[in-house]
Amino acid sequence: MTFLSATLNRVKPSPTIAVTTKAQELKAAGRDVIGLGAGEPDFDTPQNIKDAAVAAIAAGKTKYTAVDGIPELKEAICAKFARDNDLTYAPPQVTVGTGGKQVLYNAFMATLNPGDEVIIPAPYWVSYPDMVLLAGGTPVTVEASLEANFKITADQLEAAITSNTKWFLFNSPSNPTGAGYSRDELKALTDVLMRHPHVWVMTDDMYEHLAYDDFKFCTPAQVEPRLYDRTLTVNGVSKAYAMTGWRIGYAAGPEVLIKAMRKVQSQSTSNPCSISQNAALEALNGPQDFLAPNNVIFARRRDLVVSMLNQAPGIVCPNPEGAFYVYPSIAGCIGKTTTQGKRIDNDETFATALLEDTGVAVVFGAAFGLSPNFRVSYATSDAALKEACQRIIDFCKGLS
Ligand SMILES: Cc1ncc(COP(=O)(O)O)c(C=O)c1O
């Protein structure tokens, strides 16, 4: 008998955090390391949001709050859904948690029974399958290839649905690929879901505001209003408002589900941080005018990274619609050997050799369920990106 739970044996620690830790260790040892692993914007939380937090402290808003969010924030979230997504929700249909991560986790804990399946398009955000496993469910992955621009088709979704399917988990723009589904592409998927009334949709819209060129973000319940009664729309302030450390995420959906999620939260964290909730209130209700200039910067960085990585022999890098990631293929590097004599057998050995030989930290594709690839986060300075991409080009040129 082991002391640790059997459930814990089913999950693995976050590989993205492992890469960041290894990069930090090398840095501490004096190596010149450029980290392209972090999933957070490199700019600061806007001043008006910080000021709102300070004001909340001064006003004594430092006590426990309602379990799943203060009423003012729930009102602001309803207004946000109406403003940005044409979705009408009332406060009892809204929940606020300690990051989008807790909201997703609450939803799985509140709904999954052993044998319940959750369809997850791959490549996926690293936490999805493990959250499903922790909650006792079964992740069912559906592979979206590079040739399909990392998007699954209606036929693939149809083929993955069984009588045990409880949720279809959707994420656009995506972590780790940046791929964003157009309205037509999403409509093809929601048409499939209309034929399977027992399947609910959990949509993770965390990168909604990080969309470039003429890409128009849309969300399932907006594209197919008849799915409203079985959709949980998840979002948060972490990425768009550069508030990863404040830990506020939220969701809206049917009241019965929101109530069940509240029960889970009431017995775990009690409520999200009172000060952060007041900061998120300002984020959603305050000026949104910094979003567009930030997106100009992100789009410029994406263009830089895509064009440079495509100059590296053996690498093919698609140009995605949003988020701050690209997910190049290294199929052309497999089987080759580095100038240091290391053989590239898969994307993990590629990422390890790249870090050891050049000091560039990226996350290998196997962590996201599609290989052989790696993820680059371009939420860092142009100068760092240029230098990192040049090192990747030189590394690939050295392979033989
Ligand atoms: C796709 C996706 N969903 C959810 C989250 C969680 O965000 P939060 O910081 O709100 O927990 C992340 C964070 O990396 C993400 O990439």
Side-chain angles (χ1 to χ4, degrees):
M1 197 182 74
T2 74
F3 180 68
L4 301 177
S5 82
T7 306
L8 199 63
N9 281 338
R10 301 177 74 200
V11 308
K12 56 186 182 327
S14 164
T16 43
I17 292 174
V19 169
T20 310
T21 309
K22 171 118 202 238
Q24 279 163 353
E25 279 167 16
L26 287 175
K27 226 175 196 168
R31 285 285 307 275
D32 167 23
V33 172
I34 307 175
L36 303 181
E40 60 184 352
D42 57 322
F43 56 88
D44 201 4
T45 306
Q47 192 58 45
N48 62 311
I49 298 174
K50 292 186 188 177
D51 291 345
V54 172
I57 295 173
K61 295 179 179 171
T62 52
K63 306 283 205 265
Y64 291 129
T65 72
V67 168
D68 61 359
I70 56 175
E72 312 87 283
L73 181 54
K74 287 191 174 193
E75 291 283 0
I77 291 165
C78 293
K80 176 259 174 282
F81 280 123
R83 178 178 71 223
D84 297 340
N85 312 113
D86 304 321
L87 291 173
T88 306
Y89 287 107
Q93 293 173 286
V94 170
T95 183
V96 184
T98 302
K101 205 170 198 172
Q102 192 195 16
V103 173
L104 292 162
Y105 189 71
N106 287 346
F108 289 132
M109 288 301 285
T111 57
L112 293 182
N113 292 310
D116 285 346
E117 295 172 0
V118 179
I119 297 176
I120 304 175
Y124 43 70
W125 180 40
V126 289
S127 296
Y128 292 152
D130 291 296
M131 278 198 263
V132 170
L133 288 167
L134 267 178
T138 305
V140 174
T141 54
V142 177
E143 213 170 278
S145 65
L146 178 140
E147 293 71 31
N149 291 318
F150 301 122
K151 297 175 205 176
I152 64 161
T153 63
D155 288 346
Q156 284 181 294
L157 177 59
E158 182 80 57
I161 293 174
T162 72
S163 56
N164 292 325
T165 307
K166 187 154 259 178
W167 288 103
F168 168 52
L169 180 48
F170 180 72
N171 174 223
S172 163
S174 146
N175 178 5
T177 65
Y181 287 69
S182 69
R183 178 174 272 269
D184 287 349
E185 288 164 341
L186 179 51
K187 182 72 170 57
L189 300 183
T190 59
D191 284 350
V192 172
L193 296 168
M194 286 311 295
R195 293 196 285 275
H196 299 277
H198 68 291
V199 180
W200 284 49
V201 192
M202 196 181 301
T203 178
D204 179 347
D205 298 351
M206 202 55 75
Y207 294 94
E208 167 181 12
H209 291 299
L210 297 155
Y212 315 120
D213 307 330
D214 51 3
F215 177 75
K216 292 256 173 309
F217 170 85
C218 49
T219 189
Q222 176 187 29
V223 167
E224 178 47 87
R226 289 175 296 170
L227 284 176
Y228 179 86
D229 288 333
R230 50 184 167 115
T231 299
L232 182 72
T233 303
V234 182
N235 211 316
V237 294
S238 289
K239 312 287 176 172
Y241 301 93
M243 292 177 69
T244 46
W246 300 76
R247 311 307 304 128
I248 295 291
Y250 56 85
E255 209 175 324
V256 58
L257 171 62
I258 298 298
K259 244 183 168 164
M261 291 166 65
R262 183 187 312 146
K263 195 165 163 186
V264 175
Q265 187 153 295
S266 73
Q267 297 295 21
S268 55
T269 55
S270 287
N271 63 261
C273 167
S274 61
I275 299 151
S276 297
Q277 288 190 70
N278 282 284
L281 178 64
E282 172 62 19
L284 295 179
N285 282 350
Q288 308 289 307
D289 51 357
F290 65 93
L291 292 171
N294 279 347
N295 281 1
V296 171
I297 295 170
F298 278 136
R300 189 184 68 220
R301 290 172 177 174
R302 178 204 55 177
D303 292 345
L304 169 75
V305 169
V306 169
S307 77
M308 285 191 80
L309 289 181
N310 278 317
Q311 292 164 36
I315 289 185
V316 174
C317 185
N319 190 29
E321 290 86 0
F324 37 65
Y325 308 108
V326 291
Y327 198 66
S329 161
I330 56 150
C333 302
I334 300 296
K336 300 200 167 166
T337 305
T338 71
T339 52
Q340 309 291 313
K342 293 169 195 162
R343 203 182 127 84
I344 308 294
D345 291 319
N346 52 44
D347 51 32
E348 187 165 0
T349 50
F350 177 93
T352 305
L354 184 71
L355 179 56
E356 289 171 356
D357 296 4
T358 74
V360 175
V362 298
V363 187
F364 56 94
F368 306 100
L370 189 87
S371 292
N373 292 70
F374 64 91
R375 187 191 77 173
V376 165
S377 164
Y378 55 82
T380 190
S381 72
D382 291 32
L385 289 171
K386 254 184 216 157
E387 173 61 23
C389 289
Q390 191 55 53
R391 290 187 199 179
I392 295 173
I393 293 172
D394 295 342
F395 177 81
C396 290
K397 280 187 176 161
L399 296 175
S400 56

